[in-house]
mmCIF file of all heavy atoms in Angstrom:
data_model
loop_
_atom_site.group_PDB
_atom_site.id
_atom_site.type_symbol
_atom_site.label_atom_id
_atom_site.label_comp_id
_atom_site.label_asym_id
_atom_site.label_seq_id
_atom_site.Cartn_x
_atom_site.Cartn_y
_atom_site.Cartn_z
ATOM 1 N N PRO A 18 -1.486 -16.409 11.377
ATOM 2 C CA PRO A 18 -1.614 -15.060 10.751
ATOM 3 C C PRO A 18 -0.336 -14.615 10.040
ATOM 4 O O PRO A 18 0.759 -14.765 10.552
ATOM 5 C CB PRO A 18 -1.922 -14.149 11.970
ATOM 6 C CG PRO A 18 -1.566 -14.880 13.158
ATOM 7 C CD PRO A 18 -1.696 -16.304 12.832
ATOM 8 N N LEU A 43 8.679 -2.125 10.826
ATOM 9 C CA LEU A 43 7.358 -2.583 10.391
ATOM 10 C C LEU A 43 7.193 -4.059 10.545
ATOM 11 O O LEU A 43 6.138 -4.535 10.928
ATOM 12 C CB LEU A 43 7.077 -2.138 8.951
ATOM 13 C CG LEU A 43 7.035 -0.668 8.684
ATOM 14 C CD1 LEU A 43 6.802 -0.368 7.196
ATOM 15 C CD2 LEU A 43 5.956 0.016 9.500
ATOM 16 N N ARG A 65 9.955 -13.099 -4.346
ATOM 17 C CA ARG A 65 10.127 -13.653 -2.979
ATOM 18 C C ARG A 65 9.063 -13.072 -2.069
ATOM 19 O O ARG A 65 8.817 -11.861 -2.022
ATOM 20 C CB ARG A 65 11.544 -13.280 -2.462
ATOM 21 C CG ARG A 65 12.619 -14.013 -3.213
ATOM 22 C CD ARG A 65 14.031 -13.778 -2.568
ATOM 23 N NE ARG A 65 15.050 -14.521 -3.230
ATOM 24 C CZ ARG A 65 15.383 -15.790 -2.930
ATOM 25 N NH1 ARG A 65 14.804 -16.395 -1.931
ATOM 26 N NH2 ARG A 65 16.346 -16.406 -3.528
ATOM 27 N N ASN A 78 19.645 -1.029 0.186
ATOM 28 C CA ASN A 78 20.962 -0.402 -0.011
ATOM 29 C C ASN A 78 21.515 -0.567 -1.434
ATOM 30 O O ASN A 78 22.468 0.160 -1.806
ATOM 31 C CB ASN A 78 21.993 -0.925 1.009
ATOM 32 C CG ASN A 78 21.607 -0.611 2.413
ATOM 33 O OD1 ASN A 78 21.110 0.478 2.689
ATOM 34 N ND2 ASN A 78 21.868 -1.535 3.326
ATOM 35 N N ARG A 83 14.799 -1.752 -9.124
ATOM 36 C CA ARG A 83 13.718 -1.212 -9.941
ATOM 37 C C ARG A 83 12.427 -1.129 -9.130
ATOM 38 O O ARG A 83 12.304 -1.718 -8.100
ATOM 39 C CB ARG A 83 13.521 -2.038 -11.239
ATOM 40 C CG ARG A 83 14.755 -2.149 -12.080
ATOM 41 C CD ARG A 83 14.457 -2.874 -13.367
ATOM 42 N NE ARG A 83 13.495 -2.154 -14.194
ATOM 43 C CZ ARG A 83 13.712 -1.769 -15.442
ATOM 44 N NH1 ARG A 83 14.902 -2.003 -15.989
ATOM 45 N NH2 ARG A 83 12.807 -1.121 -16.131
ATOM 46 N N ASP A 89 5.201 -5.633 -14.571
ATOM 47 C CA ASP A 89 6.646 -5.782 -14.743
ATOM 48 C C ASP A 89 7.218 -7.043 -14.351
ATOM 49 O O ASP A 89 8.392 -7.393 -14.635
ATOM 50 C CB ASP A 89 7.387 -4.668 -13.986
ATOM 51 C CG ASP A 89 6.917 -3.259 -14.345
ATOM 52 O OD1 ASP A 89 6.954 -2.918 -15.534
ATOM 53 O OD2 ASP A 89 6.491 -2.503 -13.476
ATOM 54 N N ALA A 95 12.305 -12.662 -16.296
ATOM 55 C CA ALA A 95 12.996 -13.173 -17.503
ATOM 56 C C ALA A 95 14.429 -12.579 -17.609
ATOM 57 O O ALA A 95 15.317 -13.233 -18.119
ATOM 58 C CB ALA A 95 12.156 -12.888 -18.769
ATOM 59 N N THR A 103 5.434 -2.696 -5.947
ATOM 60 C CA THR A 103 4.375 -1.721 -5.583
ATOM 61 C C THR A 103 3.182 -2.439 -5.045
ATOM 62 O O THR A 103 3.159 -3.669 -4.915
ATOM 63 C CB THR A 103 3.950 -0.947 -6.864
ATOM 64 O OG1 THR A 103 3.371 -1.870 -7.778
ATOM 65 C CG2 THR A 103 5.166 -0.282 -7.512
ATOM 66 N N ALA A 111 1.376 -11.861 -3.011
ATOM 67 C CA ALA A 111 0.850 -12.294 -1.732
ATOM 68 C C ALA A 111 -0.301 -13.299 -1.956
ATOM 69 O O ALA A 111 -0.363 -14.365 -1.311
ATOM 70 C CB ALA A 111 0.353 -11.083 -0.906
ATOM 71 N N GLY A 126 -4.548 5.486 -7.715
ATOM 72 C CA GLY A 126 -5.941 5.685 -8.127
ATOM 73 C C GLY A 126 -6.054 6.471 -9.422
ATOM 74 O O GLY A 126 -5.120 6.449 -10.241
ATOM 75 N N VAL A 133 -8.166 14.146 -19.663
ATOM 76 C CA VAL A 133 -7.148 14.544 -20.614
ATOM 77 C C VAL A 133 -6.081 13.448 -20.796
ATOM 78 O O VAL A 133 -5.701 13.097 -21.886
ATOM 79 C CB VAL A 133 -6.492 15.884 -20.275
ATOM 80 C CG1 VAL A 133 -5.359 16.260 -21.219
ATOM 81 C CG2 VAL A 133 -7.559 17.032 -20.211
ATOM 82 N N LEU A 144 -6.693 -5.010 -8.005
ATOM 83 C CA LEU A 144 -7.521 -5.263 -6.827
ATOM 84 C C LEU A 144 -8.916 -5.713 -7.179
ATOM 85 O O LEU A 144 -9.592 -6.416 -6.383
ATOM 86 C CB LEU A 144 -7.579 -3.983 -5.928
ATOM 87 C CG LEU A 144 -6.232 -3.591 -5.305
ATOM 88 C CD1 LEU A 144 -6.439 -2.263 -4.550
ATOM 89 C CD2 LEU A 144 -5.722 -4.660 -4.409
ATOM 90 N N THR A 150 -7.226 -8.660 1.396
ATOM 91 C CA THR A 150 -7.661 -7.570 2.234
ATOM 92 C C THR A 150 -6.534 -6.569 2.389
ATOM 93 O O THR A 150 -5.447 -6.912 2.885
ATOM 94 C CB THR A 150 -8.123 -8.054 3.593
ATOM 95 O OG1 THR A 150 -9.291 -8.892 3.392
ATOM 96 C CG2 THR A 150 -8.486 -6.923 4.506
ATOM 97 N N VAL A 151 -6.741 -5.327 1.972
ATOM 98 C CA VAL A 151 -5.728 -4.325 1.961
ATOM 99 C C VAL A 151 -6.062 -3.250 3.026
ATOM 100 O O VAL A 151 -7.084 -2.559 2.892
ATOM 101 C CB VAL A 151 -5.596 -3.626 0.587
ATOM 102 C CG1 VAL A 151 -4.448 -2.613 0.574
ATOM 103 C CG2 VAL A 151 -5.388 -4.661 -0.502
ATOM 104 N N LEU A 160 -4.113 12.511 -5.764
ATOM 105 C CA LEU A 160 -4.976 11.949 -6.837
ATOM 106 C C LEU A 160 -6.390 12.549 -6.767
ATOM 107 O O LEU A 160 -6.728 13.328 -5.878
ATOM 108 C CB LEU A 160 -5.050 10.450 -6.702
ATOM 109 C CG LEU A 160 -3.685 9.717 -6.724
ATOM 110 C CD1 LEU A 160 -3.883 8.258 -6.382
ATOM 111 C CD2 LEU A 160 -3.008 9.860 -8.084
ATOM 112 N N LEU A 169 -13.558 2.500 -8.048
ATOM 113 C CA LEU A 169 -13.559 1.264 -7.234
ATOM 114 C C LEU A 169 -15.006 0.666 -7.195
ATOM 115 O O LEU A 169 -15.153 -0.562 -7.239
ATOM 116 C CB LEU A 169 -13.062 1.583 -5.843
ATOM 117 C CG LEU A 169 -11.583 1.852 -5.665
ATOM 118 C CD1 LEU A 169 -11.257 2.457 -4.318
ATOM 119 C CD2 LEU A 169 -10.803 0.542 -5.891
ATOM 120 N N VAL A 176 -15.159 -1.329 -0.229
ATOM 121 C CA VAL A 176 -14.429 -0.336 0.551
ATOM 122 C C VAL A 176 -15.154 -0.102 1.903
ATOM 123 O O VAL A 176 -16.372 0.177 1.897
ATOM 124 C CB VAL A 176 -14.308 1.036 -0.184
ATOM 125 C CG1 VAL A 176 -13.555 2.094 0.630
ATOM 126 C CG2 VAL A 176 -13.606 0.769 -1.538
ATOM 127 N N THR A 181 -14.352 4.645 11.169
ATOM 128 C CA THR A 181 -14.615 5.968 10.653
ATOM 129 C C THR A 181 -15.681 5.936 9.594
ATOM 130 O O THR A 181 -15.846 4.931 8.905
ATOM 131 C CB THR A 181 -13.324 6.614 10.047
ATOM 132 O OG1 THR A 181 -13.624 7.916 9.548
ATOM 133 C CG2 THR A 181 -12.812 5.792 8.894
ATOM 134 N N ASP A 197 -19.448 4.240 2.600
ATOM 135 C CA ASP A 197 -20.780 3.607 2.769
ATOM 136 C C ASP A 197 -20.820 2.627 3.882
ATOM 137 O O ASP A 197 -21.886 2.375 4.469
ATOM 138 C CB ASP A 197 -21.231 2.909 1.465
ATOM 139 C CG ASP A 197 -21.444 3.907 0.277
ATOM 140 O OD1 ASP A 197 -21.870 5.015 0.567
ATOM 141 O OD2 ASP A 197 -21.152 3.516 -0.820
ATOM 142 N N TRP A 198 -19.674 2.049 4.244
ATOM 143 C CA TRP A 198 -19.620 1.035 5.264
ATOM 144 C C TRP A 198 -18.475 1.348 6.274
ATOM 145 O O TRP A 198 -17.455 1.859 5.906
ATOM 146 C CB TRP A 198 -19.340 -0.355 4.617
ATOM 147 C CG TRP A 198 -20.441 -0.796 3.710
ATOM 148 C CD1 TRP A 198 -20.499 -0.637 2.344
ATOM 149 C CD2 TRP A 198 -21.653 -1.462 4.030
ATOM 150 N NE1 TRP A 198 -21.613 -1.172 1.820
ATOM 151 C CE2 TRP A 198 -22.358 -1.684 2.851
ATOM 152 C CE3 TRP A 198 -22.197 -1.910 5.262
ATOM 153 C CZ2 TRP A 198 -23.614 -2.346 2.850
ATOM 154 C CZ3 TRP A 198 -23.411 -2.565 5.260
ATOM 155 C CH2 TRP A 198 -24.073 -2.769 4.025
ATOM 156 N N ALA A 215 -17.730 -17.239 1.374
ATOM 157 C CA ALA A 215 -18.950 -17.932 1.269
ATOM 158 C C ALA A 215 -19.727 -17.617 0.000
ATOM 159 O O ALA A 215 -20.356 -18.523 -0.602
ATOM 160 C CB ALA A 215 -19.795 -17.632 2.518
ATOM 161 N N GLU A 220 -13.249 -12.620 -7.670
ATOM 162 C CA GLU A 220 -12.036 -12.593 -6.760
ATOM 163 C C GLU A 220 -11.552 -11.138 -6.581
ATOM 164 O O GLU A 220 -10.440 -10.840 -6.977
ATOM 165 C CB GLU A 220 -10.974 -13.466 -7.357
ATOM 166 C CG GLU A 220 -11.287 -14.897 -7.367
ATOM 167 C CD GLU A 220 -11.247 -15.512 -5.943
ATOM 168 O OE1 GLU A 220 -10.189 -15.301 -5.264
ATOM 169 O OE2 GLU A 220 -12.165 -16.242 -5.552
ATOM 170 N N SER A 221 -12.339 -10.307 -5.963
ATOM 171 C CA SER A 221 -11.974 -8.949 -5.743
ATOM 172 C C SER A 221 -11.493 -8.650 -4.293
ATOM 173 O O SER A 221 -11.692 -9.528 -3.414
ATOM 174 C CB SER A 221 -13.166 -8.000 -6.069
ATOM 175 O OG SER A 221 -14.260 -8.302 -5.269
ATOM 176 N N LEU A 223 -10.875 -6.512 -0.625
ATOM 177 C CA LEU A 223 -11.551 -5.706 0.374
ATOM 178 C C LEU A 223 -10.603 -4.652 0.872
ATOM 179 O O LEU A 223 -9.494 -4.944 1.295
ATOM 180 C CB LEU A 223 -11.972 -6.564 1.587
ATOM 181 C CG LEU A 223 -12.440 -5.874 2.857
ATOM 182 C CD1 LEU A 223 -13.689 -5.056 2.560
ATOM 183 C CD2 LEU A 223 -12.605 -6.827 4.007
ATOM 184 N N LEU A 235 -0.835 15.486 8.477
ATOM 185 C CA LEU A 235 -0.277 16.724 7.930
ATOM 186 C C LEU A 235 -1.288 17.849 8.116
ATOM 187 O O LEU A 235 -2.480 17.657 7.874
ATOM 188 C CB LEU A 235 0.060 16.499 6.445
ATOM 189 C CG LEU A 235 0.760 17.668 5.722
ATOM 190 C CD1 LEU A 235 2.081 18.023 6.334
ATOM 191 C CD2 LEU A 235 0.934 17.337 4.253
ATOM 192 N N ASP A 236 -0.816 18.999 8.486
ATOM 193 C CA ASP A 236 -1.728 20.128 8.703
ATOM 194 C C ASP A 236 -2.520 20.341 7.394
ATOM 195 O O ASP A 236 -1.985 20.538 6.342
ATOM 196 C CB ASP A 236 -0.924 21.377 9.043
ATOM 197 C CG ASP A 236 -1.843 22.604 9.164
ATOM 198 O OD1 ASP A 236 -2.547 22.751 10.171
ATOM 199 O OD2 ASP A 236 -1.923 23.413 8.238
ATOM 200 N N VAL A 243 0.549 23.507 -0.301
ATOM 201 C CA VAL A 243 1.707 22.908 -0.981
ATOM 202 C C VAL A 243 1.299 21.988 -2.117
ATOM 203 O O VAL A 243 1.973 22.012 -3.156
ATOM 204 C CB VAL A 243 2.545 22.131 0.085
ATOM 205 C CG1 VAL A 243 3.715 21.379 -0.654
ATOM 206 C CG2 VAL A 243 3.120 23.070 1.113
ATOM 207 N N LEU A 266 4.904 13.715 -4.790
ATOM 208 C CA LEU A 266 5.246 13.275 -3.366
ATOM 209 C C LEU A 266 6.541 13.863 -2.889
ATOM 210 O O LEU A 266 6.645 14.264 -1.726
ATOM 211 C CB LEU A 266 5.277 11.730 -3.395
ATOM 212 C CG LEU A 266 3.970 10.994 -3.606
ATOM 213 C CD1 LEU A 266 4.230 9.472 -3.621
ATOM 214 C CD2 LEU A 266 2.920 11.399 -2.583
ATOM 215 N N ALA A 283 3.449 7.523 9.930
ATOM 216 C CA ALA A 283 2.470 7.312 10.959
ATOM 217 C C ALA A 283 1.329 6.495 10.457
ATOM 218 O O ALA A 283 0.800 5.553 11.157
ATOM 219 C CB ALA A 283 1.961 8.648 11.547
#
Side-chain angles (χ1 to χ4, degrees):
L43 295 179
R65 292 185 176 272
N78 298 322
R83 301 185 65 123
D89 303 306
T103 64
V133 176
L144 293 175
T150 295
V151 183
L160 303 172
L169 287 167
V176 178
T181 181
D197 293 327
W198 298 93
E220 292 287 311
S221 58
L223 167 63
L235 183 60
D236 177 76
V243 175
L266 294 177

